[in-house]
Amino acid sequence: MDFLTDLWKFMKARRKWWLMPVIVVLLLLGILIVIGGGSAIAPFIYTLF
C-alpha cells in the first residue's frame, strides 16, 4: 500500500498526470489475467489476445 501512496505523491508533486491512464490499463490487464487464469471464462479471454 505504501507503493501506491508514494506513486500518488510522486504524480501529484511532479505533475505527471499522463501516467494515470498507463497505470490504470496495466492494472486492468493484470486483473484480467488473474481472473482468466483459473476460471471458466478463460477461453473467452484468451481469444481477445
Side-chain angles (χ1 to χ4, degrees):
M1 195 62 168
D2 291 334
F3 174 72
L4 294 176
T5 56
D6 288 341
L7 184 63
W8 176 253
K9 288 177 185 177
F10 170 77
M11 287 191 304
K12 190 175 174 183
R14 305 273 193 227
R15 304 287 185 198
K16 302 283 186 183
W17 298 116
W18 58 270
L19 286 173
M20 188 63 71
V22 175
I23 294 169
V24 169
V25 167
L26 288 175
L27 284 173
L28 289 176
L29 281 174
I31 290 170
L32 187 66
I33 290 171
V34 168
I35 289 174
S39 69
I41 61 170
F44 301 110
I45 292 174
Y46 290 132
T47 58
L48 295 175
F49 300 104

